[in-house]
Every structure is written in C-alpha cells, then in structure tokens.
C-alpha cells in the first residue's frame, strides 16, 4: 500500500513524467520522427511508458506516438469486443470438425456452362430409395427458444446413415457452420436426390446449399438433384455452375473453390399432379447436375456460392485489431447481441484528428452487409471494401481524413451460423423490418437504424449502402431511391453511373433501378432514404458472372467480388471530389440516358396498345419475394395462437326451447300477455277495469321487479292483420269488447308524448327524443297523431305526427282508449272499417282527420292545466297508429 506522502506526490510526479516525456519527444525533429527508429529509441520509449504506468499506478492510460508527437489514450475495456465461439439454437446438432478453406484464384476466368440441349431427366426410381443421410433437428421446435455454444448437448450420432452397400455410397454431412442439407436419398448406384432444409422456423426460402461428401470413386459420374427449390427462375438456366472444393486438391495443388458440373438443368418438378407444391402451396423446382470427382475417398464440399462464415469474419476482425498501425484509426466494437447471443460487430474507421471539433466536422458514410445470410457474395465485397479502406494507400488515407465510416459487416450472424438463406431466427426477413419497434425480436436492424439516427444528429451522412447478392441477374448493379425533386433531380443516379465507368466489365448501369415500391418500405435502402440520406443504395452482386466487355460469359471469383469493394471506394472519392466536374458530367449523361430510354419505351408501347405510363420505366427491384416473411416474429404468432386456443375459446351457445322460455317468464307478465285478451273479452267492462287496476300500479306506487316499464311491443304487420280480420268477421261483437281490447293495447304502448299545456308543464316533461333503447320514465299520454309527413308545433308544444308510410315488416302499436258511445252498433262498424283500412295501408279520409283535429283542440282548451296522470281519456277519439315511431325532431325512432 502506498504511504500518504507517496499518494500526495503522485499527481506532481505524474505531471513531471509527462512533461519530461513531452520534452524528450519534442527534441526529435520532423525528419527524425519520420525516419526509422533505432532499437535504442524504441527501448527509451518503452521505458517512458513503464515509468508513466508506475508513477500513475494505472495501466488504463496508454502512450502512443503520432507523427513523432506523444498521444495519450485510454485503454479500451477488454469486454468491449470479444470473439467467442458461435452460438446455436439448442436443437441444432453440430459436429466438432473445424471447416476451413483456402483462398484461390483460377488462372483464367471460368466460363459459363453452355447447354447442349440434349440434357434429359433420368427416369424416377421405382422405389423410394435408400436414405443415406437425414438430419431432422429443424422440426423439433416451432420457434426459437434459447441457444448454446456448440448447439445440442446430445451426441451428433442421431443423424441417420443408412448406407448400403458401403463401398459405393457417398457419405453426406452438413451439420457444420452455414450447412443446410436435410436429407439425401440414393435412388441409383450414383444418383442422389437431395432435400434442403428451409430457413429455420419457416417453411420457405430454399436456394442456398452447402454440404460435404466423402467415400467417392474417382472418374465415376455422379448425379445430384436438389428437389425442393422455390424460385421459378434461376441463373443455373443461364449457364451458372455449382462450386466444388476438394481437400486433396487444396493440399496437393493449392486449388480452392472452382466451378464444376455438366448436364445442368433447372426445371419445375414433374409428377402426376401438374400443380405439385409444398405444404404452403408453393410450387417446387429442381436443380440437377453431374460431376466427376478427381480423387478416390476424398473429402469434398459442394456449394451455391463461395462460403463466408461467421467464424471467418471473427478471424478477419482479430487480424485488424492485432495490427497496431490499423488500430490507430480503426475501432471494432459490439453493436448488439443477436437473438442467439452472437455479437453484431460495428467498425468505426477515421483518422485521429488533432481536436474533437475536427472529427465532428467530418461527414459520415454507412455501409452494411449480410442481412440475408445466404448472400455470401456480399461478405466478399465487404472484405474487399475493408481491405482498401484499412490499407496504406494515398486514396485510403484521403478517405479516412475526410470521412467517418460506420461499417456493420454481418447484420444477421444467427442466419449465417445455422445456414439460412434469407431469414433470422425470428423466422422473418430482417430486410423488411427496419421500421420495427420490436427491439428484442429484431435487435440487429433496430440497433443499426438507431446508430444511423444518432449519427445523423451529429453530422451529415452523405451515403448509405447495403451489400447484397442477386440470384436471377448477372453482373453487379445498384438499387436507389428516386426523389422526384427538382432540386436533386438525377442526383441518385450519379453514383451508380460512376461505378459503371470505374468497373465497366462488371457493373451494369442498365440493370440499376430507382423505384420506391410500397412492398419494400421496410428495407434498409428505403428506410435510410426516408430518414434523410439522399444517396441510399443497395449494391447487388450476382451469384453468376459478367456479361460485359472482356469478361462476358465468365463466372465471378472471390477476387472479382473483392474488387467491387475497391471500386466502391474509388467511386466515393470521385463522387465527393471538391472539383465537381465529373459529377456534372454524369448528371447530364444520366438525364440523356433516361430520355433515350423514355423514347424507346414510348415507341414500343405505341406500337402495341398505345398505352404508356412513366411508372413502366422502372421495373421491379425485387430479387426475392419476402412478403411471406413480413409481420410479427414466429414466436409471438405462435404464442398468440396458443392463447386463442386455451384462454379465449368461446363456448357454444345453447338455445332454449319455447317451453323453457315460457317457464322462466314471470307469471304476472304472462297474465298481461296478448294471448290472454280473448279470455278477458268475455268479462264485463267493470270487471276488466278492476282486474287491470289490481295488476298495474298507478300514481306514486312502485312497480314490481318483474313489471315491464316502458317496453315497446313490436309485432308483425301480417300477424295483426290476421288478428283484426278474424275479429271483424264476427258480427256479434259488442262495442264494449272492442273498447277494452283497445284500452289494453294503449296501456302496453311504449311511445308517449308530453301533454299539450303551459310552459311549466311542457318543461316538466321535456326530455331527449325517445327511442326503443331509452324507454320513457313517465307514463305520459300521447297526442293523437296526424296523417301528415312532418312535425307541427302549436304554442311551443310538440305534436307527434305519424309518417305516411308503414314499414313492411312490423310496426309499433300506439292506441288510445275508445270512449263509450250511445250508438254502439254504428260506432263498432265505424271502427272496424277504419281499422281495416289502416292496417291494409289505406289512410282515413280527410274528413276523419279533420274530426280528429277538432276533438284534439277542444281537449287542449279544456284540460291544459291537468297533470298527465289526471287527464280524462274518455274524450279521445279512437285511432290506431301502426306506423314506425317518430321522434320529436321528425326522425324515425330506433328499434331493437
């Protein structure tokens, strides 16, 4: 432990050491600082660093020399970046073999396969064949749960090898990083049908393949047929060949990946059913080819494109940070962790400025790759881009001095590890989810977008580019975003046009597209463009080769793909050159080319149907349809289905019979039902009044629980027509029977208007328009209706007016009581005639309406001051309104 005096002297001693170190370094002249340092000078500097560490009692302060001047830096924490072994989903079986391949460039470009048009499909085998390899771990889980270094804890012997006989059958294997063979079936002595594993937790996306074979016989012709591809077209139909890597050839001759294959054919699967498809309804296609192996019992690998694994990226980044010269202007950090826990690395490249302000004034460039794990050519272009940018050339130094580069070399490490072609372990295409808010489900693209947003808040981002691979077009090209702005017109076309001039035998400007499609709104290119980056691109490299200039008809090698990274940096220098002569020239040329293309397409369309649209100038930018990979992650969708099946399962409603409904109905309600009215008709009027007064409370008495207060009685027009027609047919009916029937109908009515009266009386009962959902709280009498199509008002009082037409299906019964009359037979006949006319749709005559109006006015003058419950109803003229109810504002009342 240091003493108190030592502790107090530590700051002064540290300052003295730093000042002494500074003076020592200042003694070096500019020529000496740039000359080679002797061993004595290096030893002296190491001693100064040791003295500094001992004096300050810390190892976190580092001493570096830049241009002969001392630069003090803080040592980065050791956990900022690390390179652990890849993590796999727990259900994945992984072999312990270390797979490594050497890099090799063929002496001459490898030509496309030229079909002889004599390729014939071999007849299907009589039986199912022998399954010589099967790895079905992908079907054990429906969605990603957890991960582990090395995958499954169990042994890897569960893959089935049914080899018969062992002397001629191949041994297949793909349980290694980026491998994806699911099953191999031997259908002939040297004929094998292969099934690729779909992207994990999906039922789609089979195009990438990578597997190993052993136990072959030299010079024998083997046929391989992949039977579950999902793209309707492929570069294999245009001469592309598969890749082969032989460990024996690499060891003996230094030969790496090279193109092989004959009798290549890509076709739709043939069967008895012409619409043969997979479980999701998509049609399947097959790729078949033959190959001769050069050595007996060799270990060979077959692949769709040059593999670039997550482990290779980690090895490359280790080399970067282990070089002190490169580490001075390059930082490797962990951007985030993927779903499986694999690190997503971000590289920051820029020269160390003399001040923080100088660094902040630099513009930024963002470059990403490998969002689609099966597009390995994107990683090879990325490695070439980093090689140029981290090199010691003058152009690289100019780029580092003027820009801050943010590089994410592998956006989807989980998909790369397990051998997916397009999706992550969420079962979704990450390049459709840059707008996502689900940080935990799509961490890679969420943190990338967040990094760009923070970078844009600090400085201007002049360019964004995402490196991809394309499976249906040859050459290299770009997709951009047309701004349709007069200020930046054709600006997005300048950088691709410059690329085509710098790499004329590989890059095709004619294949570039600048359409912003609605289905691509979630891609990195469009999302970054919407954030405000005008130059936002996708760099697409073919899986095949070039059709341009001296490279026409030849495959791309890893060197060709790396060179595209070099050309990208060279084009960036031209694009951002202070002398904008090249940019101005490219703007004019881009405008000329677009107009020429317009005239060509317009003339073509006029020759055909005469229709032309400016949107036709841009064809689709789609390299692969990922609409089925949009939406929520697979684990969220699966959990939602489970909740629907368990917790939210609706019980089937059991309907009651009529007897059960009648049994549940209260006896008091049954006694007041309409079916009891014929039984009561035989009673005298006084007896009926007595029964009614006992059943129905009046005045301030409270109603019972089961009393139906203000309920509307709806019934069919046909049923009531039948009722009245039966009653009218009885000539011996007396007027008293009709009176009490109509009185019962009046008492059960639901629509009651406030009485005509003074202002106080009107305000007392004023309320919103009545409806069937809002029954009237007060049993107020209703003003007799008029047969007019509108509402009228007298002295501020509301008068209910019936509409002139009746609904066809039902009506509301609103009937006032009938006063007793001396001439019973005449009145009875009068009411029968009127009711029959009204029900059948014929309205009463004008004289009848006039009499109703006179009686109403007389009653209004006679009893305006009476309470509604005290009004004498004997003066009402009997009317029956079987129309739909109308509110105080003239609107039809709502029925349930």
């Amino acid at each position: 432990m240091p003493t108190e005096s030592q502790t107090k002297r530590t700051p002064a001693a540290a300052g003295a050491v730093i000042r002494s170190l500074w003076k020592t370094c200042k003694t070096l002249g500019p020529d000496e600082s740039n000359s080679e340092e002797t061993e004595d000078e290096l030893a002296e500097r190491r001693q100064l660093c040791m003295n500094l560490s001992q004096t300050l009692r810390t190892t976190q302060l580092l001493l570096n020399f830049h241009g002969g001047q001392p630069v003090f830096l803080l040592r980065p924490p050791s956990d900022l970046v690390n390179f652990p072994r890849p993590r796999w989903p727990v259900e994945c079986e992984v072999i312990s073999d270390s797979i490594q391949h050497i890099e090799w460039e063929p002496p001459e470009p490898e030509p496309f396969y030229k079909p002889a048009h004599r390729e014939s499909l071999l007849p299907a085998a009589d039986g199912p064949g022998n399954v010589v390899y099967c790895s079905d771990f992908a079907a054990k889980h429906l969605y990603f749960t957890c991960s582990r270094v090395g995958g499954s804890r169990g042994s890897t012997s569960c893959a089935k090898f049914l080899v018969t006989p062992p002397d001629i059958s191949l041994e297949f294997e793909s349980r290694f990083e980026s491998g994806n063979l699911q099953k191999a079936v031997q259908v002939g002595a040297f004929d094998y049908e292969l099934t690729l594993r779909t992207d994990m937790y999906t039922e789609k996306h089979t195009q990438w393949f990578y597997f190993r074979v052993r136990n072959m016989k030299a010079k024998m012709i083997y046929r391989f047929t992949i039977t579950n591809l999902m793209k309707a077209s492929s570069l294999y139909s245009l001469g592309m060949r598969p890749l082969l890597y032989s460990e024996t050839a690499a060891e003996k001759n230094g030969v790496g990946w090279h193109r092989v294959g004959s009798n290549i054919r890509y076709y739709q699967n043939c069967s008895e059913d012409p619409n043969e498809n997979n479980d999701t309804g998509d049609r399947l296609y097959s790729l078949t080819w033959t190959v001769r192996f050069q050595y007996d019992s060799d270990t060979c690998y077959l692949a769709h494109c040059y593999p670039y694994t997550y482990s290779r990226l980690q090895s490359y980044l280790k080399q970067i940070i282990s070089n002190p010269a490169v580490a001075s202007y390059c930082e490797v950090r962990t951007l985030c962790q993927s779903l499986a826990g694999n690190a997503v690395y971000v590289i920051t490249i820029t020269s160390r400025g003399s001040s923080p302000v100088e660094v902040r004034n630099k513009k930024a460039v963002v470059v990403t790759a490998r969002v689609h794990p099966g597009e390995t050519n994107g990683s090879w272009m990325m490695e070439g881009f980093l090689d140029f940018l981290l090199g010691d050339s003058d152009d690289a130094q100019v780029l580092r001095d003027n820009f801050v580069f943010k590089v994410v070399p592998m956006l989807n490490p989980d998909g790369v590890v397990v051998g997916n072609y397009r999706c992550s372990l969420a079962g979704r295409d990450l390049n459709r989810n840059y707008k996502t808010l689900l940080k935990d489900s799509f961490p890679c693209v969420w943190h990338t977008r967040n990094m760009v947003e923070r970078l844009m808040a600090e400085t201007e981002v002049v360019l964004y580019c995402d490196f991809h691979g394309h499976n249906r077009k040859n050459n290299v090209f770009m997709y951009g975003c047309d701004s349709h702005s007069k200020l930046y017109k054709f600006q997005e076309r300048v950088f691709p046009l410059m690329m085509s001039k710098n790499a004329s035998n590989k890059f095709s400007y004619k294949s570039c597209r600048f359409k912003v499609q609605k289905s691509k709104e979630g891609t990195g290119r469009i999302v970054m463009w919407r954030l405000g980056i005008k130059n936002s691109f996708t760099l697409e490299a073919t899986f095949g080769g070039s059709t341009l200039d001296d490279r026409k008809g030849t495959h791309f090698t890893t060197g060709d793909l790396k060179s595209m990274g070099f050309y990208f940096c060279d084009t960036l220098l031209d694009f951002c050159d202070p002398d904008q002569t090249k940019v101005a020239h490219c703007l004019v040329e881009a405008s000329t080319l677009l107009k020429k293309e317009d005239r060509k397409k317009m003339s073509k369309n006029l020759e055909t149907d005469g229709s032309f649209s400016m949107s036709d100038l841009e064809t689709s930018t789609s390299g692969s349809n990922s609409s089925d990979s949009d939406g929520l992650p697979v684990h969220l969708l699966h959990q939602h289905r489970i909740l629907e099946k368990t917790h939210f399962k609706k019980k089937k409603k059991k309907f009651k019979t009529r007897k059960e409904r009648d049994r549940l109905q209260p006896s008091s309600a049954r006694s007041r039902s309409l079916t009891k009215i014929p039984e009561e008709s035989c009673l005298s009027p006084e007896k009926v009044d007595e029964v009614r007064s006992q059943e129905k409370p009046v005045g301030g008495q409270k109603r019972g629980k089961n009393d139906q207060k203000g309920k509307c009685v709806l019934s069919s027009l046909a049923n009531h027509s039948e009722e009245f027609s039966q009653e009218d047919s009885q000539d011996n009916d007396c007027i008293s029977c009709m009176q009490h029937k109509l009185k019962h109908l009046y008492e059960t009515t639901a629509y009651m208007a406030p009485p005509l009266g003074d202002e106080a009386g009107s305000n007392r009962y004023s309320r919103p328009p009545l409806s069937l959902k809002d029954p009237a709280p007060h049993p107020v009498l209703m003003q007799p209706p008029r047969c007019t199509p509108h509402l009228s008002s007298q002295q501020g009082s509301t008068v209910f007016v019936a509409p002139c037409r009746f609904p066809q299906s039902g009506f509301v019964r609103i009937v006032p009581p009938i006063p007793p009359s001396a001439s019973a037979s005449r009145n009875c006949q009068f009411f029968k005639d009127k009711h029959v006319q009204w029900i059948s749709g014929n309205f009463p005559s004008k004289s009848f309406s006039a009499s109703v109006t006179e009686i109403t006015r007389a009653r209004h003058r006679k009893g305006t001051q009476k309470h509604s419950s005290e009004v004498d109803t004997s003066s009402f003229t009997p009317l029956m309104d079987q129309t739909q109810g109308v509110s105080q504002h003239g609107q039809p009342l709502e029925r349930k």
Side-chain angles (χ1 to χ4, degrees), residues 307-564:
Y308 196 104
T309 62
Y310 182 63
S311 299
R312 178 184 173 88
L313 174 66
Q314 289 181 319
S315 301
Y316 181 80
L317 296 180
K318 287 179 184 178
Q319 295 176 5
I320 291 177
I321 63 175
S322 62
N323 188 342
V326 174
S328 63
Y329 49 80
C330 175
E331 279 186 353
V332 180
R333 295 290 183 266
T334 300
L335 178 65
C336 63
Q337 301 288 333
S338 65
L339 279 180
N342 293 307
V344 180
Y345 301 103
V346 57
I347 309 171
T348 304
I349 304 172
T350 188
S351 298
R352 306 289 182 184
S354 57
S355 64
V357 178
E358 183 181 346
V359 177
R360 285 195 298 268
N361 289 335
K362 294 182 180 180
K363 296 181 180 180
V365 176
V366 180
V367 183
T368 61
R370 211 65 183 279
V371 67
H372 293 149
E375 298 173 0
T376 59
N377 35 14
S379 286
W380 289 105
M381 289 192 298
M382 174 60 73
E383 186 169 306
F385 170 77
L386 292 175
D387 286 345
F388 182 92
L389 200 57
L390 298 176
D392 54 0
S393 64
D394 294 338
D395 289 342
Q397 184 65 44
V398 170
L399 289 173
R400 294 194 298 266
D401 291 342
N402 290 276
F403 296 99
V404 177
F405 290 89
K406 291 287 186 178
V407 182
V408 185
M410 191 171 286
L411 278 166
N412 192 351
D414 294 346
V416 173
V417 169
V418 300
N420 281 0
Y421 172 60
R422 199 165 184 87
C423 297
S424 69
L425 292 184
R428 293 291 178 260
D429 185 351
L430 293 183
N431 202 34
R432 299 295 184 271
N433 289 279
Y434 271 88
K435 297 193 298 182
T436 185
L437 300 178
L438 302 176
K439 176 181 176 181
D440 295 334
S441 298
F442 305 104
C444 308
V445 294
W446 190 94
H447 282 90
T448 301
R449 186 193 65 194
N450 186 55
M451 177 194 70
V452 174
E453 289 175 347
R454 288 187 285 108
L455 187 63
M456 293 181 66
E458 299 174 0
T459 185
E460 178 188 357
V461 179
V462 295
L463 187 138
Y464 166 85
C465 190
D466 191 17
F467 293 172
H468 282 257
H470 207 284
N471 199 70
R472 288 183 285 185
K473 287 184 181 180
N474 280 311
N475 306 313
V476 183
F477 48 92
M478 288 183 120
Y479 292 147
C481 299
D482 192 355
S483 61
H484 299 286
S485 173
K486 294 182 179 180
L487 182 61
Y488 302 105
K489 194 172 185 180
F490 307 126
Q491 186 71 31
E492 69 281 350
R493 300 172 185 263
V494 172
F495 192 89
L497 186 57
M498 286 183 169
M499 281 281 291
S500 68
K501 295 180 179 300
N502 291 331
S504 58
N505 61 352
K506 300 181 182 69
F507 191 95
S508 172
Y509 178 75
K510 291 183 179 180
S511 299
C512 297
R513 297 291 178 265
F514 304 92
K515 188 175 182 180
V516 178
Q517 295 175 283
K518 187 176 181 180
S519 60
K520 303 298 180 66
E521 285 290 335
T523 61
R525 168 176 59 98
I526 297 180
V527 169
M528 300 305 171
W529 177 67
R530 301 259 186 225
L531 289 178
I533 304 176
K534 296 186 294 293
N535 298 291
S536 181
F537 302 104
T538 296
L539 181 62
E540 301 275 352
T542 180
F543 285 96
S546 175
T547 60
L548 304 172
D549 298 342
D550 58 336
R551 290 298 307 274
K552 184 177 182 179
T554 58
H555 288 90
F556 281 161
T557 63
T558 56
D560 294 326
L561 296 173
K562 283 185 177 183
S563 67
M564 293 311 302

Side-chain angles (χ1 to χ4, degrees), residues 657-676:
T657 62
R658 179 174 294 180
K659 290 183 178 181
E660 291 175 343
R661 292 196 302 269
D662 292 342
R663 194 180 303 115
L664 295 174
Q665 187 178 10
S667 58
S668 59
R670 289 200 303 269
S671 64
R672 293 196 303 271
S673 62
L674 290 176
T675 57
K676 299 297 182 180

Side-chain angles (χ1 to χ4, degrees), residues 98-362:
S98 177
I99 311 297
Q100 295 182 355
H101 307 301
I102 64 171
E103 288 189 49
W104 175 75
E105 287 293 314
E108 295 292 333
E110 299 172 295
F112 287 165
Y113 171 71
K114 295 181 179 180
H117 303 290
R118 291 177 299 179
E119 294 83 359
S120 59
L121 299 180
L122 296 179
D126 296 336
N130 295 327
V131 178
V132 295
Y133 173 80
C134 181
S135 179
D136 55 356
F137 65 84
K140 293 181 180 179
H141 292 77
L142 297 176
Y143 55 90
F144 172 74
T145 54
C146 57
S147 64
R148 179 179 175 271
V149 174
S152 174
R153 292 181 180 273
S155 63
T156 58
S157 60
C158 56
K160 300 175 183 178
F161 297 95
L162 306 177
V163 182
T164 346
D167 54 338
I168 62 172
S169 295
L170 295 177
E171 296 178 4
F172 290 83
E173 182 58 81
S174 71
R175 293 172 297 168
F176 47 80
E177 196 172 346
S178 297
N180 71 333
L181 181 65
Q182 182 175 350
K183 186 169 66 172
V185 180
Q186 185 179 16
V187 295
F190 303 99
D191 192 3
Y192 295 86
E193 288 187 354
L194 311 178
T195 302
L196 303 180
R197 175 182 53 76
T198 59
D199 284 6
M200 289 194 68
Y201 317 118
T202 73
E203 296 180 355
K204 293 186 177 289
H205 309 301
T206 53
Q207 194 67 34
W208 162 261
F209 61 87
Y210 179 33
F211 57 90
R212 184 180 73 188
V213 291
R214 284 176 174 171
N215 198 41
M216 67 280 298
K217 297 294 182 182
K219 308 304 181 182
M220 301 300 298
I221 299 177
Y222 288 87
R223 174 177 288 274
F224 299 99
T225 304
I226 300 174
T227 60
N228 65 329
L229 299 174
M230 296 186 182
K231 288 184 180 292
S233 60
S234 174
L235 288 172
Y236 289 107
S237 301
L238 301 178
M240 177 178 162
R241 289 180 170 182
L243 283 163
L244 174 70
Y245 183 92
S246 169
E247 288 190 352
T248 305
E251 183 180 354
K252 291 183 177 180
N253 305 321
V255 177
W257 288 98
H258 58 281
R259 302 283 176 172
V260 296
S262 301
N263 299 315
I264 303 172
R265 185 173 177 184
Y266 191 90
Y267 59 93
Q268 183 179 340
N269 288 355
C270 301
S271 65
E272 296 179 359
D273 183 8
N275 297 322
E276 181 185 14
N277 47 32
N278 63 351
D279 296 337
T280 59
D282 297 324
R283 294 186 178 182
L284 298 179
Y285 298 83
S286 292
L287 168 67
T288 182
W289 75 96
T290 59
V291 62
R292 293 176 184 264
F293 295 104
Q294 189 176 358
Y295 303 99
D296 284 332
S297 302
D298 192 6
T299 298
C300 295
Y301 297 86
L302 290 162
H304 179 62
C305 189
Y306 305 100
Y308 196 104
T309 62
Y310 182 63
S311 299
R312 178 184 173 88
L313 174 66
Q314 289 181 319
S315 301
Y316 181 80
L317 296 180
K318 287 179 184 178
Q319 295 176 5
I320 291 177
I321 63 175
S322 62
N323 188 342
V326 174
S328 63
Y329 49 80
C330 175
E331 279 186 353
V332 180
R333 295 290 183 266
T334 300
L335 178 65
C336 63
Q337 301 288 333
S338 65
L339 279 180
N342 293 307
V344 180
Y345 301 103
V346 57
I347 309 171
T348 304
I349 304 172
T350 188
S351 298
R352 306 289 182 184
S354 57
S355 64
V357 178
E358 183 181 346
V359 177
R360 285 195 298 268
N361 289 335
K362 294 182 180 180

